[in-house]
Amino acid sequence: MIGYRNGVVNTLRLWQAEVPTTSMMTGTQREEITDITRGLYPDDSTEEGRRLRLRQEYFLVSAGIQSIVRNYRRTHVDLFDFAKHVAIHINDTHPAVAVAELMRILLDDAHMSWQQAWSITVQTLSYTNHTLLQEALEKWSIPLFASLLPRIYQIIQEIDRRFREKYVPLRGEAFVNRIAPLGDGQVRMAYLAVLGSHAINGVAKLHTTLLESSVLRDWYQLFPERFSNQTNGITPRRWIQTADQPLSDLLDQTIGDAWRTNPLALRSLHQYQDDDAFLTALNQTKHANKQHLAAMIQHSLGLVVDPNAIFDVQIKRLHAYKRQLLNVLGLIDRYQRLKAGEDLGVKRVHIFGAKAAPGYYYAKEIIKLINALADQINHDPSINQQLQIAFLPNYGVSMAEQIIPAADVSEQISLAGMEASGTSNMKLMAAGAVTLATLDGANIEIRDAVGPDAIVTFGLTADEVAAHQRQQDYDARALAASDPVLTRVLSALVDGSIPGIESVGRDIYDSLIRYNDDYFVLADFHAYQAAQKRIDLLYQEPLNWARMALASIAESGRFSADFTVQGYGNQIWSVAPTHPLVKDDDV
Ligand SMILES: *Cc1c(COP(=O)(O)O)cnc(C)c1O
């Protein structure tokens, strides 16, 4: 990994499971092995899939730690000072088995005592939690885990036994049962990671607060000094310099090129906020990027879109909590209004990019709905192309590099309290898109950075959502029944007016009405539509719009991943940079 103008090259090591050429294995036996690294995130909706996934996780963790230890031994006679020289980070819950694997090496290979090995393990390891979703905190059934990894399971049993022995007298049985690594017949990987790490962090201020007060509350009570926040970041090298050369050139001409090595220098853009020539040039840059994306959309989908329309972008994994469905219900409403002859003042193109996890049926139904609605709206001459939908298939980073520079609006509309941080929100603000957001994840820090006049926020807060969940007073069916707009919009899912979505439309309708809308889509619907109306009005004042874009770009520098990495280095890994960026207080 080559650093940008800093004289540093780092190693990123990738692993692959291979069969030795001399092996006498059958084809099936070979496949059992090569399957381990055939694809990331194997489908875990079946027992076989879960087994493969656990084998993959252990394979990658073990290879990584063995490689680190081998390398360390080249310059050190023993492992007693290991933690002084090595930091191993458990990045999300997937590699949490690292706790037991490092213990195995220190106990079985280096023949250390348990206390010695445990002390080195905790001092070496740190853990980042990336999600509050309960289903993403991996848990393995004990029979699966113990049969596949018997020695590792034995070590986890001993970790669990010692944890209970120490803390039951101090905190009581109930407390310890809630958080011990073994419980409910499962190995609870997130709890193992927390217990085996000297530092634990969330990835945005709200996320860390919610970790401490809910998902990891008991752990926070036990080890408050281990917790910190490290807000995620993005690399301006990829997302501005490489992906957005028209903007990069304009920045160079306007404020010089210091921003390329110090992204906080983007703040000097603020002095141009009333410079009409600059604001016009900024809009021209965006227009050129939109022409480029329009050509890509025509090539990919055969759809001709107008670069003068608002390009409203929602690009992220397809998940119910991210609420692509809220965007879709807004589109159905808009389409129905246009059909009824309302003049909405602006043309819009809504651009989606999203993949669903292989076993996530509901997410695939939402993709089906977006495509069916796109088919209908894009082919309806009666609305005169006032509204178009582009669902770009096979979303990935290279495609994101083409979409983001062309975005006018950045949709960050997850249910408050669900999105740990988000990072496309940061990429899109750096490209001068106006953020349309709920107060979730890093959206809150983005609002604090750009100021309330340069962002459009709406919807329930995380506290309000939590209160509804506690009081169980949300009734989606009653809400929809008493609301003529929601009734009209939801009917479209089930009355045949969108061709080709018979069962999909019914399933989605049921998720909202019969199963009471877990993600409060209907509760936030009107606030969302009002926010979109504000966007429509703002967009019709091009210089004011450019002023919001300027504020976004100017304040995007604090979200450089360089600052995030510096925070991990200072507060978690104890590694000092050779060239410190800026004092933490300055960002
Ligand atoms: C940045 C990025 C993401 C993360 O997007 P969020 O909206 O923050 O969830 C996902 N996929 C790709 C390809 C990305 O570039």
Side-chain angles (χ1 to χ4, degrees), residues 234 238-239 315-317 321-322 395-401 404 411-412 419 421-428:
I234 54 155
R238 178 181 294 275
W239 297 108
I315 44 172
K316 49 190 71 254
R317 283 173 302 124
Y321 86 79
K322 291 174 182 281
Y395 177 59
V397 169
S398 302
M399 184 183 289
E401 287 181 52
I404 289 169
E411 296 245 16
Q412 307 299 336
E419 186 73 89
S421 158
T423 52
S424 76
N425 47 4
M426 301 166 186
K427 300 167 197 169
L428 284 154

Side-chain angles (χ1 to χ4, degrees), residues 310 312 334 342-348 409 434 436 453 456 528-546 548:
I310 296 178
D312 178 301
R334 183 169 283 260
E342 253 184 73
D343 178 5
L344 299 173
V346 283
K347 284 174 93 168
R348 276 175 170 267
V409 176
V434 170
L436 167 59
D453 295 338
V456 176
Y528 174 70
Q529 287 300 75
Q532 285 287 28
K533 188 168 182 175
R534 291 214 293 286
I535 296 264
D536 289 345
L537 295 173
L538 289 163
Y539 193 74
Q540 292 173 65
E541 302 277 355
L543 292 185
N544 282 331
W545 185 268
M548 296 174 74

Side-chain angles (χ1 to χ4, degrees), residues 31 125 171 188 378 386 432 543-544:
E31 265 183 37
L125 296 178
R171 299 283 175 151
R188 304 188 288 204
N378 297 345
Q386 292 297 295
L543 292 185
N544 282 331

Side-chain angles (χ1 to χ4, degrees), residues 44-61:
D44 62 355
S45 57
T46 65
E47 184 69 14
E48 226 6 75
R50 282 191 288 277
R51 211 179 104 87
L52 173 60
R53 188 165 167 145
L54 181 55
R55 287 169 72 219
Q56 181 190 66
E57 289 180 355
Y58 182 69
F59 173 86
L60 295 172
V61 162

Side-chain angles (χ1 to χ4, degrees), residues 59-366:
F59 173 86
L60 295 172
V61 162
S62 186
I65 298 183
Q66 287 185 54
S67 160
I68 292 166
V69 169
R70 193 161 55 238
N71 193 51
Y72 183 84
R73 284 191 185 279
R74 293 212 303 242
T75 47
H76 298 83
V77 289
D78 58 47
L79 294 174
F80 290 107
D81 281 340
F82 190 69
K84 278 205 198 103
H85 303 284
V86 176
I88 300 178
H89 202 84
I90 300 173
N91 189 22
D92 211 339
T93 313
H94 320 136
V97 73
V99 175
E101 176 63 4
L102 182 54
M103 283 298 286
R104 184 189 66 79
I105 290 170
L106 298 176
L107 293 169
D108 297 356
D109 297 352
H111 305 291
M112 286 184 186
S113 72
W114 184 277
Q115 280 103 318
Q116 186 65 260
W118 183 249
S119 158
I120 291 172
T121 294
V122 173
Q123 285 317 302
T124 302
L125 296 178
S126 45
Y127 166 58
T128 297
N129 174 285
H130 284 273
T131 175
L132 297 155
L133 296 183
Q134 215 37 60
E135 64 264 32
L137 300 177
E138 284 184 355
K139 297 178 179 100
W140 299 108
S141 82
I142 288 178
L144 168 66
F145 197 99
S147 69
L148 199 60
L149 306 170
R151 177 57 181 148
I152 292 296
Y153 179 62
Q154 221 173 33
I155 290 169
I156 293 173
Q157 280 182 305
E158 182 60 10
I159 292 171
D160 183 81
R161 191 191 68 75
R162 287 175 182 250
F163 176 66
R164 289 168 186 275
E165 184 177 69
K166 178 162 178 190
Y167 286 102
V168 167
L170 297 172
R171 299 283 175 151
E173 187 105 28
F175 180 93
V176 170
N177 277 338
R178 281 205 300 275
I179 63 171
L182 297 177
D184 304 327
Q186 295 176 311
V187 189
R188 304 188 288 204
M189 302 308 285
Y191 297 165
L192 179 67
V194 173
L195 180 56
S197 296
H198 69 281
I200 298 131
N201 72 282
V203 292
K205 286 175 186 168
L206 174 68
H207 171 57
T208 300
T209 304
L210 292 172
L211 277 183
E212 292 170 355
S213 65
S214 67
V215 178
L216 298 179
R217 186 183 54 208
D218 294 328
W219 286 109
Y220 182 61
Q221 283 195 14
L222 214 51
F223 305 132
E225 70 291 345
R226 293 190 188 183
F227 283 71
S228 75
N229 175 247
Q230 308 296 335
T231 298
N232 278 162
I234 54 155
T235 168
R237 266 81 62 191
R238 178 181 294 275
W239 297 108
I240 307 182
Q241 296 197 73
T242 308
D244 200 344
Q245 283 176 24
L247 177 61
S248 298
D249 291 345
L250 177 63
L251 292 171
D252 284 349
Q253 289 158 25
T254 310
I255 57 172
D257 67 0
W259 64 274
R260 289 177 182 262
T261 47
N262 173 19
L264 294 182
L266 290 168
R267 286 190 174 134
S268 54
L269 270 182
H270 284 303
Q271 62 194 296
Y272 296 90
Q273 63 171 346
D274 296 314
D275 181 328
D276 289 3
F278 174 76
L279 296 173
T280 302
L282 187 57
N283 283 338
Q284 284 165 350
T285 309
K286 181 62 75 181
H287 195 264
N289 289 334
K290 289 167 73 175
Q291 285 175 315
H292 181 263
L293 180 61
M296 192 273 259
I297 290 172
Q298 185 171 0
H299 183 78
S300 161
L301 303 176
L303 178 69
V304 179
V305 298
D306 179 357
N308 296 303
I310 296 178
F311 278 19
D312 178 301
V313 167
Q314 188 171 20
I315 44 172
K316 49 190 71 254
R317 283 173 302 124
L318 202 312
H319 200 292
Y321 86 79
K322 291 174 182 281
R323 300 201 297 188
Q324 280 94 352
L325 183 57
L326 181 55
N327 187 341
V328 170
L329 296 187
L331 288 167
I332 294 174
D333 179 37
R334 183 169 283 260
Y335 177 53
Q336 289 172 336
R337 288 176 192 274
L338 288 168
K339 292 285 279 182
E342 253 184 73
D343 178 5
L344 299 173
V346 283
K347 284 174 93 168
R348 276 175 170 267
V349 181
H350 280 235
I351 296 157
F352 293 88
K355 281 177 182 161
Y360 192 176
Y361 189 81
Y362 182 75
K364 293 182 182 188
E365 292 193 309
I366 302 281

